[in-house]
Amino acid sequence: MLMRTWAATGGESVLDPGMGTGILSSPFHPQREHTTDPGHVAGIDRSRLSHLMGTTVLRLYGQAHESHATDLLDLSPDDLQQDVDAIVCNPPYTSGDSLPTTYKSQINTQIEDSTGLTISARSPLYAYFIYHARQFLSPGDRAAFITPQSFLSAVYGDKLKQFLLDRFSLKALVQFNPEGQSVFSDADTTALIMFLEATSANDSGGETRFIRVDESVSVVELRNAVENTDQESINWGYINCVQQTQVDPSENWEALFSPPTIETSDLSRLGDFATVHRGQT
């Protein structure tokens, strides 16, 4: 609900890649004045079973829609019946090491050609979804993605973070504290929701809100934290407001959810005293 109502205010065309059972794009009874249903949903899922379930749900709800049983990475905006106004996406989380070699090489080359970036072949599948999904949006359109947070600190994530900074205004990143209750009961991962607004190339900016959720929180409270730039004090987590121009893609963004409370700029670095390496994994 939070992702959909933030990305689309109602009556718009919503793209739902990795549609699954249609949880993110199905209509629901509005609980707030602005939470109206989409005018049109374009649901995409490579799994024929998921495609069937998602299509059935949308049809039962009477939601105007189109659905495609195909890989999002094989789809272009011209393949859709309507222009997209917003994206809500829970993409597949398959790691780069688990992708078939031929498929991984194919999509890596494809995304490098479309973005002009050198993409690490270790990138997980959800990263390729984010790269590819940007072409469906015009400046001002919104997107909400729920993914693992692993790219925030991984080397392969540097290019993705640079892409996000260059092509979006990063309104908020919401981290669900890994020491608390997991969002995904069947997955060993820390959930991250990104609230993004498409911009022209290199025209992004403004304030990015890094929000850490430590305890149970209502949808209304979390939405207020995402949207209300005056709200910095909460009792269920932590908000760190940073100007987007000050966010460095080569740094570990996980640290921005729990910044140090003491000044560390004058301290020596560990590398001044020892050679640091991660060893075999």
Side-chain angles (χ1 to χ4, degrees):
M1 174 177 169
L2 170 65
M3 294 169 61
R4 227 274 309 289
T5 57
W6 182 88
T9 55
E12 298 170 311
S13 179
V14 174
L15 176 64
D16 184 359
M19 171 176 59
T21 56
I23 291 175
L24 294 182
S25 52
S26 298
F28 55 86
H29 183 74
Q31 298 182 18
R32 294 176 66 186
E33 192 171 66
H34 54 277
T35 58
T36 53
D37 296 330
H40 181 265
V41 170
I44 317 297
D45 206 297
R46 183 176 182 174
S47 163
R48 293 195 174 274
L49 177 58
S50 295
H51 171 262
L52 176 61
M53 290 190 296
T55 302
T56 301
V57 168
L58 293 172
R59 186 171 293 136
L60 289 173
Y61 272 114
Q63 170 67 59
H65 69 278
E66 63 181 283
S67 57
H68 301 261
T70 188
D71 191 333
L72 172 71
L73 303 179
D74 291 333
L75 209 67
S76 74
D78 292 338
D79 296 321
L80 302 181
Q81 297 173 7
Q82 297 188 17
D83 290 338
V84 170
D85 301 310
I87 293 175
V88 290
C89 186
N90 179 11
Y93 298 166
T94 311
S95 69
D97 294 337
S98 299
L99 291 171
T101 302
T102 301
Y103 177 69
K104 178 168 61 176
S105 177
Q106 171 193 329
I107 63 175
N108 204 76
T109 299
Q110 172 189 336
I111 298 303
E112 287 187 334
D113 289 343
S114 65
T115 63
L117 299 173
T118 301
I119 309 297
S120 170
R122 301 204 64 173
S123 300
L125 189 53
Y126 67 81
Y128 293 106
F129 266 56
I130 296 171
Y131 286 123
H132 188 71
R134 175 60 182 84
Q135 66 179 291
F136 292 87
L137 299 173
S138 300
D141 292 342
R142 286 181 165 187
F145 291 89
I146 181 167
T147 72
Q149 70 161 15
S150 54
F151 78 92
L152 298 179
S153 58
V155 174
Y156 66 72
D158 289 358
K159 291 293 184 178
L160 178 57
K161 290 184 287 185
Q162 184 66 67
F163 179 80
L164 292 172
L165 292 170
D166 289 344
R167 303 303 302 275
F168 292 96
S169 175
L170 277 60
K171 298 300 184 182
L173 276 69
V174 177
Q175 178 204 65
F176 292 85
N177 192 337
E179 297 181 1
Q181 184 176 3
S182 174
V183 173
F184 306 107
S185 58
D186 58 348
D188 184 18
T189 187
T190 299
L192 177 79
I193 303 180
M194 293 185 288
F195 297 90
L196 313 172
E197 186 172 293
T199 64
S200 302
N202 299 312
D203 190 32
S204 53
E207 183 181 78
T208 300
R209 302 172 68 75
F210 292 86
I211 303 171
R212 190 184 72 237
V213 178
D214 295 333
E215 301 175 6
S216 178
V217 58
S218 70
V219 170
V220 173
E221 288 179 295
L222 189 52
R223 177 160 182 157
N224 286 339
V226 169
E227 293 186 325
N228 186 358
T229 56
D230 294 328
Q231 181 179 3
E232 296 187 10
S233 177
I234 53 176
N235 58 13
W236 44 262
Y238 181 81
I239 300 176
N240 181 27
C241 302
V242 184
Q243 289 299 312
Q244 184 167 324
T245 53
Q246 301 301 311
V247 180
D248 187 342
S250 66
E251 296 292 332
N252 179 358
W253 287 9
E254 288 185 33
L256 294 172
F257 294 98
S258 302
T261 56
I262 60 173
E263 177 57 48
T264 61
S265 59
D266 293 333
L267 299 179
S268 300
R269 297 176 62 85
L270 180 60
D272 296 337
F273 304 99
T275 300
V276 180
H277 61 91
R278 63 181 295 179
Q280 295 182 341
T281 58

